[in-house]
Amino acid sequence: MKNKRMRKIILVDILLLVLLFFASSTDLLIKEQKVAVHKIAVVVDMPVKGQMDNFRSGTMKASAEYHTDMNFINLSSWDDMKDKQAVLQKELDNGCKGMIIHCEEEQVAQAILHSIPSDIPVLLYNEEAEGSCVRGRIGSDPEEESRLLMEAILQEEHDVGTILLAEPTSCAERVLILHDRLQEQLEAEGLLVRRIKVDSFEKVQALIKSVSALSDNVFVSGDVSVLQMLGEENAVSSNPRSVYGVGFHADIRSLIEAGAISGTVVHRAYEAGYFSVEKMVEILNGKNSAEKKMTVESVIVTQKNMYFPEIESVIFPYV
């Protein structure tokens, strides 16, 4: 009798465990079904190479973890602004609820913002444009970038003469802010700083040739296109000099490897991509919707350190 009673008790316990298992599984399924799938767009208007690869990888990782339906759009394939706006309008018509935007030219970002309804939240990546739809910004810290550049310049083995800050005639606000801060810091160290406008490769060539006899000059640019031009001309110069800047892609990497660029400041684009999607999901879920500026860490990349593990993780695309 005792054995039969014991078997009944064991069977009842097993049955209760089975019921509890199915109940918990059903609860999990219900919770999974309640997860909101937000349709968002990551919009860029620049060649996707180097640093953009890491940014895109970061957005894709976060999109998978936060269950978003994400579309990555590169508007550089269209030259006309009306065509770019038409692409975005099509995305909105298809149910896009939020956008993350990064453009090479600030005026393009501003035109895009004007075409987006104010109820569609937008996060800007390394942009200073303004719009009623903007809910947040993410990118590098100009203070940190200027500090890293100044430290690298002050560590030059030779005496530093004039610091030539080269910037495009039509210059992005973030580059002007960086150059203003760098100029202030360098002049506080007793260094002579000159601001120079360049808008073509021919002007860069003329600039470098005009100071070819003065090897103590140091060239700096916070604009990656100007940095590349400076590096390319420095690579063939009979009297190369130090060149520093901000930004990274495959061509910049080659110039650093060749010694034509002494160093460039690069921020953690993978983290920027991940955090931008994470922040957008928070906004669409009604959490933490106040406009916020988020910054990501930057590092100085040189010929000596570019293959150190801690630097490789910043400059080379995640796979």
Side-chain angles (χ1 to χ4, degrees):
M1 293 291 292
K2 288 183 178 180
N3 288 337
K4 288 184 178 180
R5 185 177 179 185
M6 185 62 69
R7 283 199 295 271
K8 288 181 179 179
I9 292 173
I10 292 172
L11 286 172
V12 170
D13 288 343
I14 291 173
L15 181 61
L16 285 172
L17 287 172
V18 171
L19 290 173
L20 286 171
F21 171 77
F22 279 112
S24 62
S25 299
T26 303
D27 186 51
L28 286 173
L29 287 172
I30 291 172
K31 287 181 179 179
E32 287 181 2
Q33 290 173 354
K34 289 182 179 179
V35 173
V37 178
H38 299 295
K39 186 175 179 61
I40 65 174
V42 178
V43 182
V44 301
D45 187 38
M46 60 193 309
V48 179
K49 57 182 178 179
Q51 202 169 350
M52 283 307 301
D53 290 343
N54 274 352
F55 176 72
R56 182 172 186 171
S57 296
T59 63
M60 292 174 65
K61 175 68 172 176
S63 177
E65 291 187 4
Y66 287 96
H67 309 285
T68 72
D69 179 7
M70 187 189 79
N71 193 13
F72 198 97
I73 305 169
N74 191 349
L75 296 178
S76 64
S77 301
W78 293 270
D79 295 325
D80 190 84
M81 192 62 226
K82 290 183 179 179
D83 293 333
K84 297 177 190 287
Q85 291 173 326
V87 172
L88 294 183
Q89 186 57 53
K90 183 178 179 180
E91 196 68 19
L92 292 171
D93 293 341
N94 288 335
C96 177
K97 299 300 182 184
M99 290 187 178
I100 299 163
I101 295 176
H102 179 42
C103 298
E104 189 171 30
E105 298 181 8
E106 190 173 323
Q107 58 266 35
V108 174
Q110 197 66 65
I112 288 174
L113 289 176
H114 285 320
S115 66
I116 299 175
S118 59
D119 61 339
I120 300 295
V122 170
L123 292 180
L124 296 178
Y125 172 40
N126 260 10
E127 298 287 352
E128 298 299 328
E130 301 289 342
S132 60
C133 53
V134 176
R135 299 291 188 274
R137 303 169 190 272
I138 188 166
S140 53
D141 180 5
E143 288 285 354
E144 182 181 33
E145 290 177 330
S146 61
R147 176 182 60 79
L148 290 169
L149 285 171
M150 182 185 71
E151 290 175 354
I153 293 169
L154 293 178
Q155 289 174 6
E156 283 282 317
E157 295 179 356
H158 59 79
D159 292 334
V160 176
T162 303
I163 311 296
L164 302 172
L165 291 181
E167 56 198 34
T169 304
S170 178
C171 193
E173 182 68 21
R174 60 181 178 79
V175 175
L176 292 175
I177 292 172
L178 170 64
H179 284 184
D180 287 344
R181 292 177 182 176
L182 183 57
Q183 180 175 2
E184 181 180 349
Q185 292 169 335
L186 290 170
E187 289 178 341
E189 293 290 332
L191 296 174
L192 179 63
V193 179
R194 285 179 56 201
R195 301 281 281 267
I196 299 173
K197 295 290 185 180
V198 292
D199 55 11
S200 67
F201 187 63
E202 288 72 25
K203 285 197 174 182
V204 169
Q205 287 179 311
L207 172 64
I208 289 184
K209 288 177 181 178
S210 68
V211 295
S212 60
L214 304 174
S215 59
D216 58 349
N217 282 319
V218 175
F219 292 92
V220 183
S221 183
D223 182 274
V224 70
S225 297
V226 174
L227 173 62
Q228 181 178 344
M229 288 190 289
L230 288 168
E232 289 173 348
E233 182 59 25
N234 201 37
V236 298
S237 173
S238 59
N239 187 20
R241 60 205 39 79
S242 298
V243 173
Y244 291 93
V246 176
F248 189 86
H249 52 65
D251 295 330
I252 299 294
R253 179 183 71 193
S254 298
L255 291 166
I256 293 174
E257 290 175 329
I261 291 179
S262 305
T264 185
V265 174
V266 185
H267 67 270
R268 295 186 178 275
Y270 181 91
E271 284 82 349
Y274 185 95
F275 293 144
S276 62
V277 172
E278 183 180 58
K279 172 66 176 176
M280 179 58 71
V281 171
E282 287 182 359
I283 293 172
L284 294 175
N285 285 337
K287 301 176 184 177
N288 197 19
S289 59
E291 182 174 337
K292 181 181 178 182
K293 174 67 182 291
M294 299 173 287
T295 58
V296 291
E297 181 189 16
S298 296
V299 298
I300 184 80
V301 180
T302 67
Q303 188 184 51
K304 292 181 180 179
N305 75 4
M306 69 186 303
Y307 289 107
F308 290 178
E310 63 272 22
I311 302 298
E312 280 188 314
S313 66
V314 178
I315 62 178
F316 294 111
Y318 281 67
V319 293

